[in-house]
């Protein structure tokens, strides 16, 4: 009870702590047979990284060994930056999403979210963006702050509190007896003024960025993908302007992200200048062109639909999910050809935390080269989360977020599911 009270106090205080756990108090040299050069899409051999004070000091085939340095030889492995997941739900787990908010208290869900954060870190994900607590308010602020204070293990986090939604929208409690007044999984806002008010309340609560539901529900009829929009461009523009007023400019990690599966909602969001279009099943030619020009990221989230199809309640539902996945994969190829920039996000939560490296595999299966997937995950992910120049590459001055995998991820992306070593901010969380 005392530990939980401490976590909740951190959430109420909403104090933004340094984004790392206490680092090792002595220099550390990491050595392995190979090391990934993300930007150039190459693997060097051998590779060494010198870490001191939570930061990378030097990188190369051989680095100096200061007095008292600990040498960790990882053998036949590849050193690479910690993975980034730009779309997670720490407050969800497999099962009926709508019932979790009804049957589980916020304190219970917060404890489960802390365990989810630990699972993701141990799988090699050292930075994440929590895309809405699904009805737990700003409890993700408590988790982020507890991680930053070194109370619990977890990735560097960007958090949004609840998502924002219209009355009767995508995450509202549709299908229940209205007299029971079942709570929405999001915060209501039905006008520009209400959006701004909710954003100010969430930022006061400690949110880093804003998540808005822009489309839903979806349907695929033949080759026609249909999804109603929720906010017109001018209302999304008000959200983007409010975020910018408090520092949420491009590359800050503090802007606006939208759930947008199709048109016209995705186009409205891009016109407004959001930071990312998450899911992005269908994008028009004009939207893709604008995303390339504005460097607005698409975050595909393939792994979630694969999981839903594999665990569908009926054969009919499984067939529908697989049809949507096939449609999305075909559109993904069009988006790549159009030069749309990508980040990597899995939508993990409705499927087990710690298993989301599958997302990178699926992006390769659907046509993206492994080197490009890794750049999307690590370089673009760092930009999207507002940590460009600090994470996503193994370079001097960057945070010492380092993982090791067997084999060569440029030849076999599936090795990312076999992370054997995890360091975040110079602190070792997992060893072989």
């Amino acid at each position: 009870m005392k530990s939980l009270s401490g976590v909740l106090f951190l959430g109420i205080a909403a104090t933004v702590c340094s984004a790392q756990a206490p680092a090792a108090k002595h220099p550390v040299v990491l050595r392995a047979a190979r090391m990934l050069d993300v930007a150039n899409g190459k693997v060097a051999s051998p590779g060494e990284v010198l870490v001191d004070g939570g930061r990378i000091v030097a990188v190369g085939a051989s680095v100096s060994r200061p007095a008292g340095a600990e040498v960790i030889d990882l053998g036949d492995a590849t050193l690479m930056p910690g993975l980034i997941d730009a779309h997670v739900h720490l407050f969800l787990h497999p099962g009926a999403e709508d019932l979790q908010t009804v049957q589980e208290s916020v304190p219970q869900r917060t404890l489960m979210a802390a365990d989810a954060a630990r699972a993701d870190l141990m799988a090699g994900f050292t930075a994440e963006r929590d895309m809405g607590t699904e009805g737990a308010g700003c409890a993700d602020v408590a988790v982020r702050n507890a991680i930053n204070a070194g109370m619990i293990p977890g990735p560097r986090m960007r958090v949004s509190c609840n998502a924002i939604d219209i009355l009767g929208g995508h995450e509202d409690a549709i299908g229940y007896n209205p007299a029971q007044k079942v709570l929405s999984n999001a915060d209501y806002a039905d006008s520009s003024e209400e959006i701004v008010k909710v954003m100010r309340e969430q930022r006061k609560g400690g949110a880093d960025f804003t998540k808005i539901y822009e489309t839903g529900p979806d349907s695929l009829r033949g080759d026609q993908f249909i999804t109603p929009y929720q906010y017109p461009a001018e209302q999304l523009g008000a959200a983007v302007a409010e975020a910018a007023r408090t520092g949420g400019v491009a590359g800050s990690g503090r802007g606006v992200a939208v759930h947008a599966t199709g048109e016209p909602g995705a186009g409205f969001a891009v016109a407004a200048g959001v930071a990312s279009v998450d899911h992005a099943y269908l994008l028009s030619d004009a939207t893709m062109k604008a995303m390339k020009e504005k460097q607005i990221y698409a975050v595909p989230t393939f792994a979630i639909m694969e999981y839903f199809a594999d665990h569908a309640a009926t054969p009919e539902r499984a067939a529908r999910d697989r049809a949507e996945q096939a449609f999305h994969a075909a559109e993904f190829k069009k988006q790549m050809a159009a030069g749309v920039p990508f980040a990597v996000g899995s939508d993990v939560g409705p499927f087990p935390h710690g298993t989301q490296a599958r997302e990178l595999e699926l992006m390769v299966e659907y046509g993206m080269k492994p080197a490009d997937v890794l750049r999307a995950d690590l370089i673009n992910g760092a930009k999207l989360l507002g940590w460009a120049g600090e994470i996503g590459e193994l370079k001097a001055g960057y945070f010492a977020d380092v993982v090791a995998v067997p084999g060569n991820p440029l030849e076999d992306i599936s090795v990312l599911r076999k992370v054997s070593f995890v360091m975040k901010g110079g602190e070792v969380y997992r060893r072989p």
Side-chain angles (χ1 to χ4, degrees):
M1 184 68 181
K2 182 177 180 181
S3 296
L4 177 58
S5 299
V7 172
L8 293 177
F9 173 78
L10 284 169
I12 295 169
T15 302
V16 179
C17 307
S18 62
Q20 59 180 325
K25 303 210 183 314
H26 55 266
V28 175
V29 175
L30 304 177
R31 178 175 174 79
R34 296 169 299 278
M35 182 167 60
L36 177 66
D37 178 346
V38 180
N40 293 309
K42 297 179 179 179
V43 168
S45 183
E48 292 189 353
V49 179
L50 172 61
V51 174
D52 197 5
R55 297 267 182 175
I56 295 173
V57 176
V59 175
S62 178
V63 298
S64 65
R65 283 152 170 73
E70 175 188 4
V71 178
I72 301 177
D73 193 336
L74 295 164
D76 187 21
T78 300
L79 293 171
M80 61 178 288
L83 298 167
I84 298 171
D85 194 332
H87 192 125
V88 309
H89 291 284
L90 292 181
F91 286 75
L92 290 178
H93 57 80
E97 292 181 38
D98 54 347
L99 293 180
Q100 290 173 32
T101 58
V102 176
Q103 297 174 340
E104 300 164 4
S105 68
V106 171
Q108 179 184 354
R109 297 182 70 204
T110 304
L111 292 171
M112 294 170 73
D115 188 60
R118 179 202 58 79
D120 289 352
L121 177 64
M122 297 308 173
F125 288 86
T126 56
E128 294 184 334
R129 191 174 59 153
D130 190 57
M131 293 288 283
T133 62
E134 305 289 327
C138 286
D140 53 358
V141 173
V143 176
R144 179 200 67 197
N145 289 353
I147 292 170
N148 291 347
M151 296 174 63
I152 59 174
R156 303 178 192 281
M157 297 299 308
R158 294 297 194 195
V159 301
S160 65
C161 299
N162 273 343
I164 297 176
D165 195 16
I166 60 172
L167 180 66
H170 178 75
E171 277 297 310
D172 205 350
I174 306 299
Y176 293 101
N177 174 3
Q180 295 300 320
K181 300 187 184 303
V182 177
L183 296 176
S184 171
N185 283 2
D187 288 343
Y188 292 128
D190 288 317
S191 67
S192 296
E193 292 76 14
E194 290 180 358
I195 290 172
V196 170
K197 182 179 179 181
V198 171
M199 288 179 67
R200 290 175 180 175
E201 290 172 344
Q202 292 181 346
R203 299 299 170 106
K204 178 181 178 181
D208 294 310
F209 72 99
T210 297
K211 157 79 176 288
I212 293 178
Y213 284 110
E214 171 57 5
T215 65
D218 308 324
S219 63
L220 182 64
R221 303 171 189 171
D223 61 352
Q224 296 296 309
F225 184 80
I226 301 168
T227 183
Y229 74 89
Q230 301 198 162
Y231 295 102
E234 58 268 25
Q235 291 181 352
L236 293 174
V240 171
E242 175 61 18
R245 184 186 68 82
T246 56
V249 296
S252 66
R254 301 180 182 279
V256 176
V258 294
H259 166 118
T261 53
E263 301 288 359
F268 291 161
V270 170
V274 300
S276 68
V277 176
D278 290 59
H279 309 304
Y281 287 13
L282 174 66
L283 303 173
S284 70
D285 290 345
T287 297
M288 290 189 286
K289 182 175 183 289
M291 291 176 74
K292 180 181 179 181
E293 291 172 350
K294 296 182 178 182
Q295 287 298 289
I296 294 174
Y297 297 105
V299 183
T301 66
F302 288 118
I304 185 71
M305 188 58 72
E306 179 184 66
Y307 183 87
F308 284 161
D310 289 346
H311 295 82
T314 65
E316 293 76 17
R317 180 58 187 262
R320 190 183 82 180
D321 290 344
R322 291 196 173 95
E324 283 195 13
Q325 186 84 318
F327 176 87
H328 188 186
E331 292 297 317
F332 177 58
K333 290 181 173 65
K334 296 177 185 177
Q335 294 165 15
M336 284 190 287
V340 172
F342 292 93
V344 178
S346 67
D347 212 356
V348 69
F351 69 96
H353 280 276
T355 69
Q356 65 262 48
R358 177 63 177 158
E359 181 70 26
L360 292 93
E361 288 184 72
L362 288 171
M363 291 176 75
V364 171
E365 285 185 24
Y366 296 146
M368 187 177 278
K369 295 178 180 178
D372 291 333
V373 173
L374 289 164
R375 279 188 285 263
D377 183 58
L378 299 168
I379 294 178
N380 291 353
K383 292 176 182 177
L384 181 56
L385 271 61
W387 286 314
E390 294 197 286
I391 65 172
E393 296 185 75
L394 299 181
K395 286 186 173 181
Y398 280 52
F399 283 120
D401 294 358
V402 187
V403 302
V405 297
N408 182 346
L410 295 177
E411 297 174 352
D412 179 8
I413 199 77
S414 72
V415 299
L416 299 182
R417 288 200 280 169
K418 303 171 184 176
V419 170
S420 61
F421 174 86
V422 177
M423 169 183 278
K424 191 194 85 174
E427 183 79 3
V428 176
Y429 289 90
R430 180 174 183 176
R431 294 176 183 259

